[in-house]
Amino acid sequence: MTQPPRPREVGQSRPRIDGRDKVTGAARYVDDLNVPGMWHGATVRSPHPAARIDSIDFSRARQADPEVAAITAADLPGPNVVKLIAEDWPILAAEEVHHVGEAVAIVVAPTRERARAAADRVDVTYTEVPGALTLDDALRGDPRVGGQVNVLASSNIDWGDVDQGLADADHIVEGEYETGWQEHIYIEPQGMIAIPQDDGSVEIVGSMQCPYYVQHALAHALSLEPDMVRVRHVATGGGFGGKEDFPDMLGAHAALLARKIKRPVKIVYDRHEDIVATTKRHPSRVRIRTGVAADGRLLAQDIEVVLDGGAYITLSPVVLSRAVIHAAGPYACPNVRIQGRVLATNTVPNGAFRGFGAPQSQFAAERQMDRIGRRLGIDPYTIRERNAYRVGDTTPTGQVLKESVSAIECLQEAETRTRFRERWQQFENARANAPDDGRPVRGLGLSLVWHGSGFTGNGEQRMNSPVTIRLNEAGAVEVRVAATEFGQGTTMVLQQMVADAVGVTAADIVVVNPDTVEVPDSGPTVASRTVMVVGGILVRAGKGLADQLMQFAKSDAASPIDCGPETNELELKAGQLLDESGAVLGSFSDIAAAYVASYGTLDITERFEAMPGIEFDEETYRGAAYSAYGWACDIIELEVDPDTLAVSLTDATLVYDVGKAIHPAMCRGQVEGGTLQALGYGFMEEIKLKDGAYMNDRLATYIIPTIRDTPDMDTVLIENPTPSGAFGAKGVGEIPMDGGAPAVLSAIENATGIVAAGIPATPERLFSDRMAGRVVSNDRAGSAKPAEGGPA
Amino acid sequence: MTGKGGISFSLNGKAVKVDLDPMSRLLDVVREHCELPGSKEGCGEGECGACAVLLDDEPVCSCLVPLIQVRGRTVRTIEDLETGGVLDPIQEAFVEAGGVQCGACTPGILITLRALLDRNPAPNRTEVREALGGNLCRCTGYEGILRSVEALLPGGDES
Amino acid sequence: MTLAYTPSNLDEALQILADHPDTVLVAGCTDLMVVDYAMGRRHDAVLDLLAVPELHGIAVSDDAISIGATTKFREILNHAEVQKNYPMLAEVAGTVGGWQIQNRATIGGNIANASPAGDSLPVLLALGAQVEVRGAAGPRIIPYEAMHLGYRRVDLRPGELITRVRIQKPAANTVQMYKKVGTRAAQAISKVVVGLCATIVDDSVAEIRIGAGSVAATPVRLDRTEARVRGARLEPSLADEAGRIASTEVAPIDDVRSTAEYRSFVLGRVVRRMLLNMISGETGPNSTAGSGS
């Protein structure tokens, strides 16, 4: 990889490009768009978690509204599958349904209201069959596969000799940890418009993260060549992973209806339907058995990860892969065994959600560190400091961490800002002597996490994504990539990075809206890869463009610049061409205009190039799982009402190594927003099911944090650059999802002594945990017995 | 009874007359009929505040206001905050200080903050939290929103 | 198209209701519009109570206040007399949804909607409110205890509507306490809500009324708890016992917001805490909507 250019735009927090449109109401999201002649679609959904479809009858719907048209699985022009990793997720259920809310038929009518009314009048008869409604059911055996355990995916890591490590240990600490579903709650629900074209192609306009995923899935479903499906991104009101996989399904529904009635069709979900139908975060059960030396060093970790995949495979294998690779936490340990499985249940498929498996497995890893600390009488800070990765340590995949390892720095900075150890101990002491005055009790909790940036293993090599930079007719520089803006600031950071790569100002850069006819498939907007990976390729392309223009300026007859034959080194800087002495020879715009006049537009296309020595064996899980890792320490301070066990978060100290903050304000925004989502996951957000159906499918019942539930945040960005990312940057989108939940539970434990078994740690859950005796051991009536089983 | 020929009210300073079902949601009336789609629907049940507008200068969820109840009254939507191409200071602050990310909650939050600032030009964090308790944001963790309001205040903006 | 009546006075409203008994009464619409939209429901005819001037506003007299049925919670929250002499009512008004909901939701609507989780209802029980209703047959006054007949059922006859809520001014030695245990710190639905009004004479509880919400099909008075406390001397053991009685005298249910077990436990803890606070003299506002204080 080439040396990064000296940053001028990078590192500045400029006003967002899309800010003005968003604060004035001028930004147009999919539901704000009306296409002439457009009708509206609606979906008929299964009320049963597992059933055979006996019949689908549209006569009542047609009688009430003769204009209504409908589609079932029998009408599909291509394979009945939303193509992700496996081909098992039907566009419309054909013979059987596997979860409540599964689409059985789609209808279309001139207005949204009429479409919804028509869907309500479709009569579907079912015969219910047994299913696996919960993870417990799934572990007992799934009736759909003859009572066997229905494993959708598995991944294993085996490093060192775990049995020997456990035998050598002074203490064995065992723990089991549970996490629930989480719903994305992007504020803009999912929506798509499909516009059929005269040539048989179709245009899709909508709310999404990955235009090319939608194109590929639709080409497959409609049996069209990919270039017959044009996908155009519009302003998107949040994603968090939820608009990575599901837009393929919604896009297919809209396109099928549009092609049937030969009119544009819009489908926009209301919140209720969005919660009922779209993918969620995988629930998890993680069991850990750790062998620890007397001084607190980890000697062996034996970890079992089970994820609930829901009814179909969707993205589960890659979610599991990330869960497994992060499951031992950011801690050195010579012997590690991690066994991961995803099991099927008759619930909505679980899919992509910020963090992608790592929040689940690291929740367990972090709570296990607290448990080890308690057993050995070591505070949460010290047990982590003793074991955290340093440069030169080796991960369970055998990857030697050569640089940009900031676990200790993050811990120390967080300790400095909060006096964690001293105050944690004060709260421990206060708990023992708390008066019964009804005043809230305080606690501090800490977590330390790592998160691999970009795709796991060889994913980037395999995708071999191209990016294009174009010098356009007007002499401006266009960035052409498929990376989408859904709030995180993609457009802004692409502009900044390319400006510096070329040597112009941000105002000279135009970021082209992702549209499959305009931009190459630079890969999906997921996995915290945009800045680090896409940005890295763009920097090379930008330098290539600059080199070509400088060559032109120096030696072409049409050059407006007279540099003289003795000039060797030219430089483009902030839109000016400079010679070795720094004297201004001319402007970028003059050179660009002269170039375009002589040769026309100029495209520079570059593809991903792996760092030398970064290899991963996907069969054995050996090698460099990621080329760089982000590191973070979260410290949460909170109060608990002793009467109600209601938790109030007061302060969050968030120390994050991001490599390089391209736009520091947006970086903070990612850290703070992700942290609040993680905190909600930890103590508030809960999907409750009854007989396979969500009980809380509304915003009044699926509770997310309000501004009054939110702590004051002290955010610190550490810049420990990685050579594998643009300007040294590492991914920042997902890591803030990892540490919030365990830190909250750690703080609840410090305040109340309750060792919560899982998340969300709602007051109800804390109450039943306390009733069940899940409290720290020295709080139990002076008993000296260890809290956990296993030999001591 | 509903007057013939529709229901009149003032929308962003202009007199409008709308001949729709009197129980139509104000949100649909402004977005679809009056072609002002800045106000967003995030939940349709008054939980998220993305559809907030000012009704006689008081913030309300427009998804829960039937058209009949705005007759003769004044409605202001997000589209009315900017005047003559000049952003309201709170809009400016949101663009500059990290108050906006995906933008879906932003219209409801800004219109509610305008109502707060009209009553209390220098609110502290607690007062901002009180005012915005009915507006959900999923992107910022609210910290960027609080910073944006603080950037408006005397002595703010030193970050 | 829905027929919408916007009567210009109360008599006109009552006449419309008498002539068209199926007309749906609407006020702040914070529940009605939610259900209408979710169910795709349309009404043939509605009557907009917000149009009726007599139903709106707070009238203050020396010994009572009278709150019009369509008075919004925000107006109640900001009213000086309410803040001064009925602080529990001001407090509960501030916990009904966020600012946008408080600007629309009305006290009459909260009563008529009759949700077991309606925040203001236990407070009206504790304050001994009276509900004034009117129909073609004339006015009736209903003591609040008699208002809720069953799950989401109130004592309103066909053609009647709620006109005002009247509350006697509490005696000077009365303490008022309110606690909402909600799903979060704002915009919360209650899991348990308690309003308590007590008159203390010489360290003894001369009179007490405790209203509780979200613990039964209707808001309820905690009769057995009150009976134990009434006339008793204020001491910690009384608080403990009252808490125990409170947690057993109701049979709450598991639902989407909470569990029966937790609700019983918390009801007992909250009642106990209120009595302990009376002993310690910490009887100021201790409301919390959800999280801590």
Side-chain angles (χ1 to χ4, degrees):
Chain A
M1 187 146 295
T2 48
Q3 205 54 29
R6 249 191 326 225
R8 290 176 56 88
E9 297 288 342
V10 164
Q12 310 274 335
S13 292
R14 296 197 184 284
R16 311 179 52 110
I17 299 174
D18 56 356
R20 189 181 177 99
D21 279 354
K22 284 176 172 175
V23 299
T24 56
R28 290 291 174 263
Y29 300 76
V30 62
D31 201 24
D32 305 336
L33 302 174
N34 281 304
V35 182
M38 183 175 80
W39 283 22
H40 295 263
T43 311
V44 180
R45 299 189 180 280
S46 166
H48 303 296
R52 276 196 315 275
I53 300 170
D54 297 322
S55 66
I56 306 176
D57 182 0
F58 295 99
S59 52
R60 239 172 14 103
R62 290 218 176 87
Q63 223 154 26
D65 193 342
E67 285 190 278
V68 166
I71 291 177
T72 68
D75 308 318
L76 300 181
N80 184 8
V81 61
V82 177
K83 197 175 176 212
L84 285 164
I85 291 171
E87 302 202 359
D88 70 334
W89 196 18
I91 296 166
L92 292 166
E95 274 137 35
E96 33 190 36
V97 289
H98 294 290
H99 65 86
V100 173
E102 184 161 10
V104 172
I106 41 181
V107 300
V108 66
T111 68
R112 192 177 297 185
E113 205 173 12
R114 282 166 66 182
R116 286 179 184 177
D120 287 343
R121 293 192 188 100
V122 176
D123 297 305
V124 186
T125 56
Y126 300 90
T127 303
E128 286 193 73
V129 298
L133 301 190
T134 64
L135 202 48
D136 283 325
D137 290 350
L139 286 161
R140 278 192 294 267
D142 185 342
R144 288 177 297 165
V145 291
Q148 303 293 301
V149 175
N150 191 354
V151 179
L152 298 179
S154 59
S155 290
N156 300 304
I157 292 175
D158 209 339
W159 178 249
D161 184 340
V162 169
D163 297 328
Q164 188 60 49
L166 290 170
D168 294 343
D170 297 308
H171 302 271
I172 303 286
V173 181
E174 290 184 85
E176 188 170 340
Y177 307 94
E178 204 175 296
T179 66
W181 282 272
Q182 188 179 24
E183 163 56 40
H184 306 84
I185 312 287
Y186 27 69
I187 297 296
E188 178 213 26
Q190 305 251 6
M192 287 281 175
I193 298 172
I195 308 163
Q197 308 292 323
D198 293 340
D199 63 358
S201 69
V202 62
E203 182 182 359
I204 303 291
V205 180
S207 182
M208 68 185 90
Q209 294 177 221
C210 312
Y212 276 96
Y213 275 10
V214 175
Q215 186 193 55
H216 295 152
L218 264 64
H220 190 72
L222 301 172
S223 292
L224 293 173
E225 288 302 313
D227 64 2
M228 295 291 277
V229 181
R230 174 182 183 177
V231 182
R232 188 155 58 86
H233 174 263
V234 291
T236 293
F240 315 114
K243 292 172 183 171
E244 172 178 351
D245 43 24
F246 198 83
D248 297 7
M249 172 74 86
L250 188 52
H253 287 174
L256 286 162
L257 291 170
R259 283 162 64 85
K260 179 173 175 105
I261 64 166
K262 301 190 168 47
R263 283 171 171 279
V265 171
K266 181 195 271 189
I267 307 179
V268 173
Y269 288 169
D270 63 17
R271 179 61 59 186
H272 164 81
E273 186 169 23
D274 196 289
I275 295 179
V276 164
T278 68
T279 52
K280 309 273 175 290
R281 183 186 301 288
H282 294 69
S284 76
R285 299 259 178 93
V286 178
R287 208 175 289 154
I288 309 181
R289 200 156 175 252
T290 308
V292 192
D295 64 359
R297 277 179 304 113
L298 306 184
L299 298 178
Q301 296 231 65
D302 194 359
I303 303 172
E304 186 195 358
V305 177
V306 178
L307 300 182
D308 177 346
Y312 299 105
I313 292 174
T314 68
L315 297 167
S316 284
V318 274
V319 172
L320 178 67
S321 172
R322 193 175 277 272
V324 161
I325 290 168
H326 290 82
Y331 305 108
C333 182
N335 309 294
V336 180
R337 177 162 57 216
I338 307 168
Q339 295 172 295
R341 287 181 298 166
V342 182
L343 305 188
T345 60
N346 288 86
T347 59
V348 172
N350 298 307
F353 196 147
R354 189 181 213 166
F356 217 68
Q360 291 95 315
S361 63
Q362 292 199 85
F363 168 74
E366 283 307 280
R367 294 304 292 141
Q368 178 77 354
M369 290 306 279
D370 284 349
R371 180 166 295 201
I372 294 166
R374 286 232 176 253
R375 171 72 78 82
L376 274 66
I378 302 176
D379 68 78
Y381 175 89
T382 306
I383 190 72
R384 287 168 172 82
E385 191 191 39
R386 200 154 292 171
N387 289 287
Y389 282 132
R390 276 112 170 135
V391 169
D393 282 336
T394 306
T395 73
T397 66
Q399 177 177 10
V400 179
L401 298 170
K402 294 193 185 109
E403 69 252 309
S404 194
V405 178
S406 309
I408 297 294
E409 197 180 340
C410 290
L411 267 174
Q412 289 173 344
E413 177 66 20
E415 158 71 31
T416 305
R417 295 177 94 90
T418 59
R419 294 185 293 117
F420 176 87
R421 273 176 295 187
E422 177 193 337
R423 297 179 60 235
W424 183 85
Q425 195 55 56
Q426 281 169 8
F427 294 142
E428 286 286 306
N429 300 342
R431 191 174 74 232
N433 315 304
D436 176 25
D437 59 1
R439 290 186 201 287
V441 289
R442 289 189 87 78
L444 266 177
L446 178 149
S447 66
L448 181 69
V449 294
W450 63 329
H451 200 100
S453 302
F455 273 131
T456 304
N458 308 320
E460 297 293 350
Q461 283 98 311
R462 214 167 25 244
M463 278 202 311
N464 192 25
S465 312
V467 309
T468 298
I469 289 185
R470 173 176 297 173
L471 181 66
N472 70 16
E473 294 83 351
V477 177
E478 293 178 355
V479 178
R480 291 177 173 263
V481 292
T484 50
E485 171 69 73
F486 41 96
Q488 43 342 6
T490 303
T491 320
M492 187 82 234
V493 293
L494 291 177
Q495 190 188 49
Q496 291 175 289
M497 290 189 292
V498 173
D500 281 348
V502 178
V504 294
T505 64
D508 296 318
I509 306 292
V510 178
V511 179
V512 173
N513 183 54
D515 174 337
T516 54
V517 307
E518 298 286 348
V519 303
D521 182 3
S522 63
T525 315
V526 303
S528 312
R529 67 183 286 278
T530 298
V531 164
M532 179 174 133
V533 179
V534 179
I537 317 172
L538 278 170
V539 167
R540 259 191 292 126
K543 287 175 70 75
L545 183 86
D547 287 346
Q548 204 149 330
L549 286 180
M550 286 189 287
Q551 192 58 42
F552 168 81
K554 191 170 161 186
S555 50
D556 199 282
S559 171
I561 310 289
D562 178 17
C563 357
E566 68 283 4
T567 304
N568 292 319
E569 287 297 319
L570 297 178
E571 191 191 4
L572 268 170
K573 196 169 165 188
Q576 302 290 337
L577 186 70
L578 312 178
D579 68 11
E580 288 151 310
S581 70
V584 176
L585 302 174
S587 74
F588 173 83
S589 50
D590 290 346
I591 300 163
Y595 182 94
V596 172
S598 301
Y599 298 104
T601 61
L602 171 61
D603 278 13
I604 305 286
T605 295
E606 291 280 355
R607 289 179 181 272
F608 180 78
E609 279 174 18
M611 287 273 294
I614 300 286
E615 278 151 25
F616 188 69
D617 183 329
E618 289 172 2
E619 293 301 310
T620 60
Y621 271 65
R622 281 295 156 82
Y626 303 94
S627 61
Y629 296 86
W631 310 89
C633 180
D634 292 352
I635 290 182
I636 300 297
E637 186 162 352
L638 51 72
E639 294 179 348
V640 183
D641 181 324
D643 290 322
T644 66
L645 299 177
V647 172
S648 287
L649 309 177
T650 59
D651 297 279
T653 302
L654 312 169
V655 183
Y656 280 67
D657 170 23
V658 299
K660 170 73 189 173
I662 305 295
H663 186 294
M666 283 181 183
C667 236
R668 285 177 78 172
Q670 286 298 299
V671 169
E672 291 159 356
T675 294
L676 186 60
Q677 215 166 27
L679 297 172
Y681 181 50
F683 85 115
M684 183 179 278
E685 298 179 31
E686 183 170 28
I687 291 271
K688 300 177 188 178
L689 278 101
K690 193 178 179 196
D691 303 328
Y694 295 151
M695 292 166 70
N696 47 346
D697 50 10
R698 300 160 48 199
L699 276 191
T701 48
Y702 184 84
I703 301 299
I704 67 168
T706 70
I707 195 170
R708 291 177 68 182
D709 298 290
T710 302
D712 287 330
M713 299 186 192
D714 176 22
T715 308
V716 184
L717 301 178
I718 288 177
E719 296 186 326
N720 189 354
T722 172
S724 55
F727 301 93
K730 305 190 269 199
V732 69
E734 292 177 285
I735 186 171
M737 192 70 225
D738 292 342
V744 166
L745 266 71
S746 185
I748 290 172
E749 185 175 313
N750 186 222
T752 66
I754 299 172
V755 185
I759 52 173
T762 59
E764 286 79 2
R765 190 94 170 241
L766 294 173
F767 173 66
S768 62
D769 282 335
R770 190 169 66 186
M771 297 303 281
R774 282 189 279 271
V775 295
V776 300
S777 53
N778 49 358
D779 283 17
R780 279 194 200 154
S783 156
K785 275 190 303 179
E788 305 86 20
Chain B
M1 220 175 297
T2 326
K4 271 248 176 296
I7 293 164
S8 302
F9 61 102
S10 161
L11 177 59
N12 296 345
K14 293 193 196 88
V16 294
K17 194 173 209 183
V18 178
D19 195 6
L20 292 171
D21 190 302
M23 288 301 283
S24 301
R25 306 187 306 171
L26 178 60
L27 175 64
D28 298 330
V29 173
V30 299
R31 279 179 54 82
E32 286 161 30
H33 191 81
C34 303
E35 297 181 353
L36 294 172
S39 309
K40 304 300 178 204
E41 175 170 346
C43 67
E45 55 178 2
E47 283 290 325
C48 75
C51 68
V53 301
L54 300 184
L55 178 58
D56 290 345
D57 294 323
E58 289 283 346
V60 299
C61 290
S62 64
C63 72
L64 298 183
V65 177
L67 175 60
I68 185 67
Q69 292 183 345
V70 304
R71 180 154 69 188
R73 302 176 70 181
T74 301
V75 176
R76 279 186 80 194
T77 69
I78 183 67
E79 284 89 348
D80 197 39
L81 272 196
E82 179 189 11
T83 36
V86 179
L87 296 184
D88 185 294
I90 188 64
Q91 290 176 307
E92 197 85 55
F94 263 54
V95 174
E96 300 205 341
V100 57
Q101 286 191 28
C102 88
C105 72
T106 308
I109 286 182
L110 285 172
I111 207 87
T112 304
L113 282 176
R114 183 69 266 156
L116 171 68
L117 293 165
D118 286 346
R119 289 158 179 75
N120 176 1
N124 60 31
R125 276 194 165 215
T126 306
E127 290 163 337
V128 175
R129 286 189 156 118
E130 293 267 328
L132 291 182
N135 292 85
L136 298 177
C137 168
R138 193 62 154 168
C139 291
T140 61
Y142 304 104
E143 189 66 32
I145 291 169
L146 291 164
R147 270 203 298 276
S148 297
V149 178
E150 284 160 1
L152 275 184
L153 308 180
D157 209 14
E158 69 257 19
S159 68
Chain C
M1 175 108 58
T2 312
L3 182 60
Y5 297 105
T6 53
S8 52
N9 60 55
L10 184 55
D11 286 338
E12 202 182 307
L14 291 170
Q15 191 57 52
I16 293 165
L17 212 48
D19 295 344
H20 309 282
D22 291 338
T23 304
V24 174
L25 300 176
V26 305
C29 295
T30 53
D31 276 292
L32 177 109
M33 294 282 283
V34 174
V35 180
D36 284 359
Y37 186 66
M39 312 283 286
R41 187 173 73 180
R42 289 284 185 103
H43 308 285
D44 293 334
V46 298
L47 186 156
D48 181 12
L49 294 170
L50 298 190
V52 182
E54 296 96 317
L55 297 180
H56 179 252
I58 300 175
V60 180
S61 61
D62 285 347
D63 62 345
I65 52 169
S66 166
I67 305 172
T70 63
T71 307
K72 322 289 186 294
F73 281 108
R74 195 77 187 175
E75 296 168 321
I76 295 171
L77 163 66
N78 287 331
H79 196 275
E81 172 66 10
V82 175
Q83 289 172 352
K84 181 165 173 242
N85 286 314
Y86 311 82
M88 174 160 69
L89 189 60
E91 216 182 323
V92 68
T95 70
V96 178
W99 188 5
Q100 296 89 350
I101 298 298
Q102 290 161 17
N103 273 334
R104 294 280 301 162
T106 65
I107 192 161
N110 209 217
I111 296 169
N113 192 49
S115 162
D119 290 325
S120 73
L121 314 184
V123 168
L124 296 177
L125 276 174
L127 287 169
Q130 294 176 318
V131 182
E132 300 177 11
V133 305
R134 264 184 71 178
R140 287 195 297 144
I141 291 180
I142 305 167
Y144 205 81
E145 286 84 353
M147 192 65 197
H148 293 277
L149 304 178
Y151 178 70
R152 288 193 176 262
R153 268 193 323 120
V154 287
D155 181 15
L156 272 183
R157 297 168 191 163
E160 278 185 338
L161 50 81
I162 298 169
T163 52
R164 303 195 78 81
V165 179
R166 189 172 187 281
I167 306 171
Q168 203 72 27
K169 190 195 277 185
N173 52 349
T174 301
V175 294
Q176 299 177 29
M177 284 187 264
Y178 167 70
K179 175 104 173 169
K180 173 172 172 172
V181 183
T183 44
R184 61 185 165 200
Q187 192 86 331
I189 300 177
S190 63
K191 301 196 269 202
V192 170
V193 50
V194 180
L196 178 150
C197 239
T199 316
I200 299 169
V201 179
D202 298 337
D203 292 337
S204 287
V205 182
E207 177 51 26
I208 186 164
R209 281 189 302 262
I210 312 174
S214 283
V215 293
T218 65
V220 291
R221 285 272 295 270
L222 299 182
D223 294 326
R224 284 176 44 211
T225 309
E226 289 178 10
R228 175 64 189 85
V229 174
R230 195 173 289 120
R233 193 180 156 70
L234 265 180
E235 52 196 2
S237 63
L238 178 70
D240 289 344
E241 204 183 335
R244 272 198 299 277
I245 296 169
S247 69
T248 54
E249 78 166 289
V250 291
I253 57 166
D254 285 343
D255 68 11
V256 68
R257 281 184 286 282
S258 191
T259 62
E261 206 186 13
Y262 175 80
R263 285 179 156 129
S264 293
F265 162 76
V266 163
L267 179 63
R269 295 290 293 191
V270 168
V271 167
R272 170 179 175 272
R273 182 64 58 199
M274 286 178 168
L275 289 173
L276 289 176
N277 286 348
M278 275 193 239
I279 296 167
S280 67
E282 286 183 47
T283 54
N286 73 334
S287 138
T288 61
S291 311
S293 48

